[in-house]
Amino acid sequence: MFSNYRNKRTRLYAITVITLLSILYLFNQRADPLSFDSGRLEEYMNNGKHRKYTDISSFDWRGAPVQNTPQSFATIPTGKPLALPRIQYDFVAEKKPERVKRDKRQLAVRHAFQRAWNSYKKSAWMRDELKPISNEGKDTFGGWAATLVDALDTLWIMGLKEEFNEAVAAVATIDFGKTSSTTISVFETTIRYLGGLISAYDLSHEKVLLEKAVQVGEMLYRAFDTPNRMPIDRLDVEKAKLGEGFTADSHISIAGIGSLTMEFVRLAQLTGDAKYYDAVARVTDLLDRAQNTTKLPGMFPIWMNAYDQDLSYDSSFTLGAMADSVFEYFPKTFALLGGLEPVYKKLYENSMDMVDKHMLFRPMVPGREDILISGNVRAESANNTELDPEGQHLTCFVGGMFALGGRLFENKHHVDIGAKLAKGCIYTYKALPTGIMPEIFLMLPCASREACPWEQKKWEAEVIKRTHPVYLDDVNRAVKTERLPVGFTAIRDRKYILRPEAIESVFVLYRTTGQKEYQEAAWDMFTAVMNATSTAFANAAILDVSVIDEYPMQDDSMESFWLAETLKYFYLVFSPPDLISLDEFVLNTEAHPFRRPK
């Protein structure tokens, strides 16, 4: 109904209609089955008036039939949450010069967010994304205003309450009953839309956000409507309305099936509806049963057969694309459930044992820095593995995962691994001329993690191996033409698409160790990213981080995670440590904080 707020007249019209609908709602108010915590309700009202909205969606997903209804539902663990170990460092009061410097940096990040947000609001309002060069909108994730929903909690966290209230009013008009796409990604819709709505509700307690989260959750619940209750990768929205059911995919990524846990668990906690927990608990049960049946027992491969519930056929393993968030969710879901479901601890510890043994490598670099990179593995068995020393920007989240898991499960070795992985990403940022790491690159693994002297000839031979026969044996020409920093043996993808994973780990390592060096690294990363990505309107992906130009080659794209994740993590690393404390919240893979139970 309100698809575009491009001018004052349209905005005034929208506000008038919303006001009239609110008045009608007050006259026809019915008992609400969703309960509130009165203390947090008073907190979120913040001396303001409790706004009322009514849902004008064209379809109520709660009424969509389900073909494959479970005979019984797994119940969410009950009881008082365990007293879990402290995750955050015990910070002391900062001195005034430190606070002044931190405040200035935090303000710079906030300004970058406001600039991009204002451009989105002016030129792409209610569209999924802003095109930051042409300054217009586009739809990429169902046409439900992905950037708006994804950025809700960032608005709240940054104290932009007027903008937040306006965004909530706009969210109330989103019609999740229809879409601009034939099919939607279940994974992306879960982490961006469902996660964004739940998080914004957890922070503000605006009731309409939970109502919308229920609608999105009900729609996504239909993805589990298969005979074996395994979710499908892409949901046909119109077919889902008919309730005829689907067939589980015979080929689906492990992330696509296993990264829905946090969102559905939190929705079950907020609504008291066991079916949401049951949906993901069945996937967790499968992972638990199958963990030692894979070609690298303990670790999960990239691809699986959900139809046959088979994880034994794929020999490719990674913490990068198509797999990443399933591992991240193990310790986070454990915390979200208050430690009352131990299977997530088992899944984390067993898989990370294999990652530590087979996947992490120390790269050979001239300064002999003691850093780690997460690579890929081909495995036919635990005794027949081959490391592919490919680093991905995506895998930079792993440092934060190890640090958080190490603190949560009191494993100092994992905290140390997390620090070395985070510093590995910091190193690869600094190594490129733009100060930003590439999307995908290769380095030369050391024979040992304990000692790794620099060997120039060995590095040169590896460069020739990766580039032959294009440059024959001319290593100097290969290094120059391929623009390889010393220590890098190839760059497979030179883009930077405004990704958050490196700053995510830097943020977690700062909050878990208290070491100021991570704040300094964060500032270097922020300034480098802003220098390369800034456009006349917002920030754009760049095509080549290995080239310094006055006007870098930019792509007309600004994914919603720039506002939802990247700038949020930059902001939080320069915030007081009690803002979104890791002892009070767990953040999903789209950086949406969910409140931990007490």
Side-chain angles (χ1 to χ4, degrees):
M1 184 175 183
F2 310 128
S3 60
N4 203 320
Y5 289 3
R6 291 184 185 274
N7 53 60
K8 293 181 179 178
R9 180 176 297 176
T10 304
R11 189 178 297 112
L12 180 60
Y13 172 72
I15 293 171
T16 302
V17 173
I18 290 172
T19 302
L20 290 172
L21 289 172
S22 299
I23 294 171
L24 288 172
Y25 180 87
L26 288 171
F27 277 109
N28 294 282
Q29 188 175 12
R30 296 189 295 267
D32 187 357
L34 303 177
S35 61
F36 270 174
D37 178 321
S38 59
R40 286 162 64 189
L41 175 59
E42 181 179 354
E43 174 187 344
Y44 104 87
M45 288 173 68
N46 199 23
N47 298 322
K49 293 185 177 180
H50 182 200
R51 290 168 297 280
K52 301 283 187 181
Y53 302 99
T54 187
D55 195 340
I56 58 171
S57 296
S58 60
F59 183 80
D60 186 350
W61 279 102
R62 292 171 297 183
V66 175
Q67 178 72 23
N68 301 283
T69 305
Q71 296 298 311
S72 61
F73 294 107
T75 57
I76 195 164
T78 58
K80 183 176 177 57
L82 303 182
L84 300 178
R86 182 180 175 87
I87 293 175
Q88 289 211 157
Y89 178 78
D90 189 11
F91 289 88
V92 299
E94 59 187 344
K95 297 177 181 179
K96 184 177 179 179
E98 294 175 328
R99 179 179 58 78
V100 170
K101 180 169 74 170
R102 180 183 56 73
D103 285 346
K104 287 182 179 178
R105 292 175 172 182
Q106 185 192 49
L107 187 63
V109 177
R110 190 173 187 260
H111 174 73
F113 176 91
Q114 286 179 291
R115 183 171 177 270
W117 175 259
N118 289 336
S119 292
Y120 170 76
K121 179 181 171 181
K122 180 180 180 181
S123 302
W125 192 242
M126 303 304 287
R127 304 293 299 277
D128 283 343
E129 293 177 8
L130 170 74
K131 297 171 72 173
I133 297 175
S134 55
N135 197 33
E136 59 188 20
K138 65 177 180 178
D139 290 329
T140 48
F141 294 105
W144 295 312
T147 293
L148 188 155
V149 176
D150 228 1
L152 281 170
D153 53 12
T154 312
L155 289 166
W156 181 274
I157 289 167
M158 290 187 177
L160 301 170
K161 299 301 171 62
E162 183 178 341
E163 292 87 344
F164 176 83
N165 293 337
E166 184 179 16
V168 170
V171 167
T173 72
I174 297 175
D175 185 358
F176 288 107
K178 57 184 179 181
T179 175
S180 60
S181 306
T182 303
T183 64
I184 59 168
S185 165
V186 173
F187 169 74
E188 296 291 356
T189 306
T190 299
I191 67 170
R192 300 192 195 218
Y193 287 108
L194 183 56
L197 291 166
I198 289 174
S199 174
Y201 172 77
D202 253 347
L203 293 171
S204 70
H205 254 177
E206 282 283 6
K207 189 174 68 171
V208 71
L209 299 175
L210 183 54
E211 293 172 348
K212 287 293 185 179
V214 168
Q215 286 294 322
V216 176
E218 287 286 337
M219 175 177 63
L220 293 168
Y221 184 71
R222 273 65 191 170
F224 295 83
D225 188 7
T226 63
N228 64 8
R229 302 298 299 168
M230 292 297 107
I232 58 176
D233 184 46
R234 298 196 66 86
L235 181 69
D236 187 313
V237 175
E238 293 304 316
K239 286 185 179 180
K241 291 179 181 179
L242 301 177
E244 297 177 355
F246 298 95
T247 301
D249 296 304
S250 60
H251 188 69
I252 186 172
S253 73
I254 192 71
I257 197 170
S259 301
L260 316 174
T261 316
M262 286 183 65
E263 296 79 8
F264 277 81
V265 165
R266 188 59 184 146
L267 189 60
Q269 289 175 332
L270 290 171
T271 64
D273 194 334
K275 72 181 181 184
Y276 302 125
Y277 179 76
D278 174 83
V280 290
R282 292 172 187 270
V283 176
T284 301
D285 287 344
L286 170 60
L287 297 181
D288 183 29
R289 296 194 308 270
Q291 189 164 25
N292 290 320
T293 69
T294 71
K295 290 190 174 182
L296 187 59
M299 185 61 179
F300 299 103
I302 298 176
W303 300 103
M304 63 169 288
N305 183 333
Y307 181 83
D308 291 330
Q309 300 189 43
D310 179 14
L311 288 87
S312 66
Y313 70 90
D314 187 23
S315 59
S316 54
F317 296 82
T318 185
L319 291 177
M322 313 306 289
D324 48 0
S325 46
V326 69
F327 301 100
E328 170 192 358
Y329 275 21
F330 293 153
K332 290 182 175 181
T333 305
F334 180 86
L336 188 60
L337 288 167
L340 297 174
E341 178 46 84
V343 69
Y344 291 101
K345 181 175 186 285
K346 169 187 174 289
L347 291 169
Y348 168 78
E349 291 181 333
N350 290 352
S351 58
M352 289 308 106
D353 282 348
M354 292 297 100
V355 168
D356 187 17
K357 183 177 180 180
H358 297 285
M359 201 166 289
L360 307 182
F361 68 93
R362 180 176 176 175
M364 187 178 73
V365 291
R368 302 188 183 186
E369 285 85 352
D370 189 6
I371 58 178
L372 291 175
I373 301 293
S374 179
N376 308 322
V377 167
R378 299 287 298 182
E380 294 304 326
S381 70
N383 298 318
N384 183 10
T385 64
E386 180 183 0
L387 172 70
D388 175 14
E390 175 189 271
Q392 300 179 36
H393 196 293
L394 265 174
T395 62
C396 276
F397 84 93
V398 179
M401 177 185 65
F402 266 100
L404 188 147
R407 295 283 285 188
L408 188 62
F409 301 126
E410 299 181 293
N411 186 331
K412 185 179 182 301
H413 176 59
H414 279 201
V415 177
D416 293 340
I417 287 176
K420 291 180 181 181
L421 284 163
K423 290 174 181 177
C425 292
I426 293 169
Y427 179 91
T428 52
Y429 260 72
K430 291 181 177 180
L432 274 293
T434 54
I436 307 172
M437 73 184 293
E439 183 80 354
I440 303 175
F441 60 93
L442 288 94
M443 301 180 83
L444 179 61
C446 303
S448 166
R449 287 197 209 170
E450 304 306 317
C452 190
W454 172 252
E455 299 181 55
Q456 180 78 16
K457 294 297 183 182
K458 192 172 183 179
W459 170 65
E460 291 177 353
E462 188 69 13
V463 170
I464 290 299
K465 175 183 173 182
R466 296 289 180 185
T467 58
H468 187 83
V470 177
Y471 303 102
L472 299 178
D473 293 328
D474 190 343
V475 67
N476 292 327
R477 187 164 71 93
V479 170
K480 182 179 180 181
T481 305
E482 295 296 320
R483 300 185 295 280
L484 297 177
V486 178
F488 288 66
T489 58
I491 299 179
R492 288 178 174 169
D493 189 338
R494 299 173 185 273
K495 294 194 297 293
Y496 170 67
I497 62 172
L498 306 175
R499 283 202 185 278
E501 290 80 13
I503 183 57
E504 173 183 354
S505 280
V506 170
F507 159 72
V508 175
L509 265 295
Y510 173 65
R511 287 290 185 89
T512 53
T513 69
Q515 296 176 11
K516 295 289 186 181
E517 64 180 288
Y518 291 109
Q519 284 186 317
E520 296 307 312
W523 183 246
D524 290 342
M525 292 163 63
F526 176 73
T527 53
V529 168
M530 291 302 296
N531 286 339
T533 67
S534 293
T535 72
F537 307 101
N539 298 84
I542 58 176
L543 300 175
D544 193 341
V545 298
S546 66
V547 176
I548 293 183
D549 288 324
E550 183 177 357
Y551 302 102
M553 293 184 290
Q554 296 178 328
D555 187 26
D556 199 7
S557 173
M558 187 183 82
E559 290 228 31
S560 67
F561 55 62
W562 171 244
L563 300 182
E565 297 188 75
T566 312
L567 289 178
K568 182 187 295 166
Y569 282 125
F570 276 123
Y571 186 82
L572 288 175
V573 82
F574 299 123
S575 297
D578 60 346
L579 181 62
I580 311 299
S581 166
L582 297 180
D583 292 307
E584 297 177 6
F585 293 89
V586 283
L587 288 82
N588 84 336
T589 196
E590 193 76 3
H592 295 308
F594 299 165
R595 197 177 294 274
R596 288 172 52 177
K598 294 182 179 180

